[in-house]
Amino acid sequence: DYVTVPDIDDSLDFAQGEDFSISLWFKVGEHSRTDDPHLVNKRESGGSKQGYWIFYGDRSEYEWYRKICLQLDFGESNLIISSQRFVDDGFWHHVVALRTGATFKLYLDGIKEDEITGFGFDGDLSNGNHLVFGMNRIPKYKDYYGSLDEVAIYDKALSAEEVEQLYQNGLN
């Protein structure tokens, strides 16, 4: 199953320089090996290819194999950051991906796993596509076989303390 949120305004788009955070709980299912299945997806498939998505890396030829990843497309350039730990262990995990200025951070279970800063990383991620949870629309329609819970999108960069608090609240 998947959920689609229509793109009726720009509240789920992030223009150049806009900070944001995406938080969710997930558990990778036994059959999640379907071309890097997307947990969250708001990306254009053609044209400028702007947007963002969080996915489970299921292809062994890449360094993000068996890890949770955030990919961002800024039109002509993109970047991927990933967890350091494997996430296909049958347990629930909490991920937060965020942008603050030109820095992207990825937290897993309250711990910062990756961070990258660079020129142009504050670029425009907005597009006219719907936001989809639980399905990979690009390049082909494939479901994410797993569970998602407590998805939240913030129009600010969460602090490390706020990320930790979200994680702790989810454990209780």
Side-chain angles (χ1 to χ4, degrees), residues 33-72:
R33 301 187 185 261
T34 58
D35 296 329
D36 296 332
H38 297 182
L39 286 69
V40 176
N41 180 321
K42 187 161 189 339
R43 175 188 176 240
E44 290 182 323
S45 58
S48 68
K49 293 189 178 173
Q50 291 178 185
Y52 57 90
W53 68 95
I54 296 175
F55 67 93
Y56 165 67
D58 73 343
R59 294 185 286 171
S60 61
E61 66 267 27
Y62 294 108
E63 64 187 68
W64 56 80
Y65 178 56
R66 298 177 56 205
K67 299 175 181 177
I68 194 73
C69 308
L70 168 68
Q71 181 162 340
L72 304 132

Side-chain angles (χ1 to χ4, degrees), residues 101-169:
T103 300
F104 287 93
K105 299 177 185 180
L106 187 122
Y107 290 83
L108 181 65
D109 299 334
I111 299 169
K112 185 170 64 173
E113 295 271 316
D114 202 356
E115 177 177 334
I116 188 166
T117 301
F119 177 76
F121 291 169
D122 64 343
D124 189 7
L125 296 170
S126 56
N127 62 62
N129 277 4
H130 302 312
L131 176 65
V132 178
F133 300 101
M135 184 177 63
N136 178 354
R137 294 186 340 237
I138 301 161
K140 46 197 167 260
Y141 292 87
K142 299 247 180 154
D143 290 336
Y144 163 69
Y145 295 100
S147 301
L148 299 174
D149 198 13
E150 297 182 35
V151 178
I153 299 177
Y154 302 89
D155 61 356
K156 69 173 194 163
L158 297 174
S159 69
E161 293 78 20
E162 289 171 313
V163 171
E164 175 65 20
Q165 189 62 52
L166 284 172
Y167 174 63
Q168 291 300 325
N169 288 347

Side-chain angles (χ1 to χ4, degrees), residues 11-96:
S11 63
L12 299 172
D13 290 320
F14 304 111
Q16 184 165 356
E18 275 189 281
D19 292 349
F20 68 90
S21 301
I22 303 169
S23 169
L24 62 98
W25 284 87
F26 70 96
K27 183 167 68 169
V28 176
E30 289 183 33
H31 304 289
S32 287
R33 301 187 185 261
T34 58
D35 296 329
D36 296 332
H38 297 182
L39 286 69
V40 176
N41 180 321
K42 187 161 189 339
R43 175 188 176 240
E44 290 182 323
S45 58
S48 68
K49 293 189 178 173
Q50 291 178 185
Y52 57 90
W53 68 95
I54 296 175
F55 67 93
Y56 165 67
D58 73 343
R59 294 185 286 171
S60 61
E61 66 267 27
Y62 294 108
E63 64 187 68
W64 56 80
Y65 178 56
R66 298 177 56 205
K67 299 175 181 177
I68 194 73
C69 308
L70 168 68
Q71 181 162 340
L72 304 132
D73 282 334
F74 305 101
E76 296 300 316
S77 64
N78 70 352
L79 87 101
I80 297 174
I81 61 175
S82 70
S83 65
Q84 303 304 309
R85 295 174 282 158
F86 297 142
V87 296
D88 58 349
D89 53 11
F91 295 104
W92 280 94
H93 293 282
H94 180 246
V95 65
V96 174

